[in-house]
């Protein structure tokens, strides 16, 4: 077996109770993302998008333009004599598209008939029912004994088409968004923005955002501002600043004055290019939906909209609420909990530091008292020695004055004569 040198754990590496060790050789689990990637590519990806808006706002054209494929067959014109639909008629279009070997199973939920009636008060109802019935289907599969194959048809994003009126939102728009914002990731778009001037678009966007804020509508907002990669953060901020996206759809190629073939719409005065960021926000919308935020839209669907729906449903069925679920999905509560933990840790650290400081002061004091006593003893010893010396000198002085010998007479020893001079 291969023995790998591991650095010993330090007090820092033991923080949070987790033992962190730094490897000093290559093990191979850095390949995990590639394994996940290969598996996901093999399985394919699944994405469900819903398009809602009044008839003729360019929903099918935009879906074709987004995925660069004729997903919607050319429309047959309904004879005038034919009766118009009595309710919003939900239609689903599923297709597999492939790019560089990566498969995407795309489901488009279309809502013809929305806003087409004399009384549109309840136009949102069948759409809400569709979203909820998809949550129900998922919940039912999750509760099965055998859950090995779950089909996910939950709606990941809802493109809501706003007519390019240049005024404020219509009551139909507000009603729809209010009814649906807690169930799905709402992404408002200004349809056929080529019918407005740049200044009109800027003013219309402002007005729409004010209306949305005023009515407390929650539209989709990417959260990943906290990632380390500055480029991704800027990209996300840039994309978010374009909401509501002013879009132009066209699946037709037109030739520009300089001979380029582009997807666009030709007018007597020039060409509007769909893929030109100076002409409209289509590129930004596509970037967000397909390139940068598809996975996050799916995460939001699962972690927020579905989780809320599931909780409500289970409570209604008499199940007890597990509060840890809320704690996990509520980022604010989690943040608050982390803050409290952090503060408690700081208080503990402060107390530890205080007690270490006190202990050190105590030790120092004992040492000082000890050396003071030692110094005192030494001082006393030296003082005594000096006193002794002084007495001896005084004795000598006295002897000299009295003419006596400096050293006391020694006892005469046998055989030796000793006489004082
Ligand atoms: N000016 C302009 N026209 C557009 C745009 N997108 C689509 N159209 C045209 O608008 C008409 C209706 O487009 P569709 O894509 O069929 O609209 P829809 O919303 O799917 O219509 P329904 O299926 O009836 O709900 C077509 O003639 C399109 O060519 C756009 O961005 N600008």
């Amino acid at each position: 077996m291969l023995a790998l040198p591991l650095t010993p754990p330090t007090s820092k590496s033991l923080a949070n109770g987790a033992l962190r060790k730094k490897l000093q050789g290559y093990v191979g689990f850095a390949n995990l993302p590639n394994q996940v990637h290969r598996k996901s590519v093999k399985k394919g990806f699944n994405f469900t998008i819903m398009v809602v808006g009044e008839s003729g706002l360019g929903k099918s054209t935009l879906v074709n333009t987004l995925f660069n494929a004729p997903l919607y067959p050319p429309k047959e014109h309904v004879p005038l004599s034919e009766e118009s639909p009595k309710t919003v008629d939900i239609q689903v279009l599923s297709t597999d598209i492939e790019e560089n070997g990566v498969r995407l199973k795309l489901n488009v939920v279309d809502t013809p008939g929305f806003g087409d009636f004399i009384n549109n008060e309840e136009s949102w109802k069948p759409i809400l029912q569709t979203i909820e019935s998809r949550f129900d289907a998922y919940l039912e599969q999750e509760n099965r004994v055998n859950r090995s194959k779950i089909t996910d048809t939950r709606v990941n994003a809802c493109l809501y088409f706003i007519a390019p009126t240049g005024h404020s939102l219509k009551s139909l728009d507000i009603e729809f968004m209010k009814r649906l914002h807690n169930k799905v990731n709402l992404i408002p778009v200004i349809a056929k923005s080529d019918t407005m001037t740049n200044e009109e678009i800027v003013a219309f966007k402002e007005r729409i955002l004010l209306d949305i804020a005023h009515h407390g509508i929650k539209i989709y907002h990417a959260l990943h501002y906290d990632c380390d990669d500055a480029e991704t953060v800027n990209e996300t901020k840039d994309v978010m600043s374009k909401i509501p996206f002013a879009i132009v759809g066209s699946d037709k190629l037109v030739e520009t004055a300089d001979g380029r073939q582009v997807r666009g719409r030709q007018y007597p005065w020039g060409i509007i290019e769909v893929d030109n960021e100076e002409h409209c926000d289509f590129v930004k919308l596509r970037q967000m939906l397909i390139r940068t935020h598809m996975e996050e839209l799916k995460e939001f669907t699962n972690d927020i909209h579905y989780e809320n729906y599931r909780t409500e449903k289970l409570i209604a069925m008499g199940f007890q609420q597990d509060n840890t679920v809320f704690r996990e999905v509520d980022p604010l509560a989690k943040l608050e909990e982390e803050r409290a933990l952090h503060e408690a840790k700081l208080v503990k650290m402060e107390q530890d530091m205080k007690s270490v400081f006190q202990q050190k002061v105590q030790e120092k004091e004992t040492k000082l008292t000890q050396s003071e006593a030692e110094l005192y003893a030494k001082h006393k010893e030296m003082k005594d020695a000096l006193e002794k010396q002084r007495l001896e000198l005084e004795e000598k002085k006295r002897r000299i004055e009295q003419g006596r010998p400096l050293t006391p007479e020694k006892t005469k020893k046998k055989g030796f004569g000793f006489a004082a001079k």
Side-chain angles (χ1 to χ4, degrees):
M1 203 176 80
L2 179 70
L4 285 162
L6 296 169
T7 51
T10 61
S11 58
K12 201 175 162 200
S13 71
L14 283 166
N16 305 326
L19 188 66
R20 285 209 191 141
K21 289 181 177 176
K22 203 166 160 40
L23 292 173
Q24 290 172 350
Y26 182 73
V27 179
F29 60 75
N31 196 38
L32 263 175
N34 295 339
Q35 290 178 34
V36 174
H37 174 75
R38 265 201 304 276
K39 207 166 166 203
S40 306
V41 166
K42 202 167 154 229
K43 261 174 46 187
F45 295 85
N46 194 24
F47 192 67
T48 302
I49 191 168
M50 179 180 245
V51 283
V52 185
E54 289 166 56
S55 181
L57 283 184
K59 299 182 292 295
S60 28
T61 309
L62 185 80
V63 171
N64 283 348
T65 320
L66 267 175
F67 296 96
N68 207 13
L71 302 176
Y72 276 89
K75 282 181 184 158
E76 288 163 25
H77 287 284
V78 181
L80 282 176
S81 57
E82 221 169 84
E83 250 187 70
S84 58
K86 291 279 176 300
T87 175
V88 177
D89 179 21
I90 307 288
Q91 290 175 1
V92 185
L93 198 143
S94 286
T95 182
D96 281 311
I97 46 181
E98 198 168 322
E99 186 180 75
N100 293 342
V102 178
R103 274 190 307 118
L104 175 71
K105 182 171 169 52
L106 178 72
N107 308 300
V108 181
V109 183
D110 197 357
T111 56
F114 179 80
D116 287 353
F117 315 107
I118 297 170
N119 181 358
N120 287 303
E121 261 178 25
E122 306 224 307
S123 274
W124 52 269
K125 254 192 181 164
I127 298 174
L128 180 66
Q129 276 163 6
T130 304
I131 292 175
E132 291 191 338
S133 67
R134 285 162 180 257
F135 282 156
D136 283 335
Y138 195 84
L139 185 59
E140 192 266 323
Q141 293 179 83
E142 270 191 333
N143 291 338
R144 272 190 209 155
V145 176
N146 183 355
R147 305 189 304 178
S148 57
K149 203 163 184 284
I150 292 188
T151 314
D152 187 2
T153 59
R154 294 171 298 177
V155 180
N156 303 123
C158 172
L159 290 184
Y160 185 76
F161 285 65
I162 299 165
T165 59
H167 303 300
S168 51
L169 286 178
K170 296 183 198 172
S171 53
L172 173 69
D173 302 327
I174 294 165
E175 185 66 14
F176 175 83
M177 292 204 245
K178 273 170 92 171
R179 297 282 182 173
L180 273 286
H181 68 163
N182 281 330
K183 305 282 176 191
V184 70
N185 296 312
L186 269 183
I187 302 171
V189 299
I190 301 173
K192 298 186 175 179
S193 69
D194 52 324
T195 58
M196 301 174 85
T197 65
N198 284 349
E199 292 75 36
E200 283 168 343
I201 290 175
V202 171
F204 193 34
K205 278 190 175 190
E206 256 175 47
R207 186 62 214 249
I208 291 171
L209 289 177
L210 280 175
D211 281 352
I212 283 176
H214 176 73
H215 291 282
I217 295 166
K218 287 177 269 166
I219 54 174
Y220 169 67
H221 205 278
L223 266 187
H224 287 178
Y225 278 178
D226 58 344
C227 80
D228 299 334
D229 176 11
E231 203 184 316
T232 314
V233 172
N234 289 338
E235 215 173 41
T236 306
K237 280 186 182 164
D238 191 29
V239 168
M240 286 299 118
S241 71
K242 298 286 187 226
I243 290 180
F245 299 97
I247 48 158
V248 175
S250 170
D251 40 14
K252 303 232 162 43
L253 288 177
V254 288
E255 192 173 320
T256 59
D258 56 2
R260 284 178 298 125
Q261 292 284 321
V262 294
R263 294 193 301 176
R265 304 190 79 84
Q266 186 141 31
Y267 291 97
W269 39 263
I271 286 173
I272 291 268
E273 294 177 32
V274 167
D275 297 287
N276 186 333
E277 288 194 44
E278 283 176 11
H279 291 192
C280 69
D281 300 333
F282 171 79
V283 172
K284 286 278 178 266
L285 171 67
R286 185 186 53 196
Q287 180 184 335
M288 186 192 87
L289 272 182
I290 304 170
R291 200 156 64 75
T292 54
H293 288 78
M294 187 181 266
E295 208 41 48
E296 190 179 272
L297 285 162
K298 289 173 75 169
E299 262 173 44
F300 274 30
T301 307
N302 185 64
D303 300 351
I304 300 172
H305 300 305
Y306 173 67
E307 200 56 47
N308 287 343
Y309 179 78
R310 182 181 160 278
T311 311
E312 276 169 26
K313 185 104 188 174
L314 293 182
I315 288 176
M317 285 163 76
F319 285 88
Q320 285 293 316
Q321 176 58 52
D322 175 3
N323 284 327
T324 55
V325 173
F326 272 142
R327 267 216 296 279
E328 251 186 315
V329 290
D330 183 355
L332 276 180
K334 204 172 171 196
L335 213 73
E336 188 54 36
E337 195 179 313
E338 273 170 18
R339 196 182 61 80
L341 274 174
H342 186 67
E343 269 175 12
K345 213 164 134 188
L346 279 181
V347 169
K348 173 137 194 340
M349 265 168 74
E350 204 180 323
Q351 280 171 349
D352 287 353
M353 274 166 73
K354 254 187 198 160
S355 78
V356 167
F357 178 73
Q358 271 168 357
Q359 195 185 331
K360 287 248 151 80
V361 168
Q362 184 88 44
E363 277 170 13
K364 208 85 194 166
E365 267 178 359
T366 322
K367 251 191 186 153
L368 276 174
T369 327
Q370 239 174 31
S371 54
E372 197 184 353
E374 274 168 22
L375 271 174
Y376 185 76
K378 221 175 195 126
H379 172 77
K380 192 168 176 303
E381 196 182 308
M382 276 169 77
K383 204 175 148 193
D384 290 350
L386 279 173
E387 183 64 17
K388 196 176 159 208
Q389 235 176 345
R390 192 181 65 79
L391 289 174
E392 278 171 8
L393 283 173
E394 261 179 20
E395 174 62 20
K396 269 185 190 169
K397 190 180 156 203
R398 249 195 320 275
R399 280 177 186 275
I400 291 169
E401 282 169 0
Q402 292 168 1
R404 286 196 288 152
L406 282 178
T407 45
E409 265 180 65
K410 288 195 179 152
T411 341
K412 220 177 174 186
K413 290 215 174 138
K414 231 183 176 176
F416 287 96
F418 186 84
K421 288 202 175 167

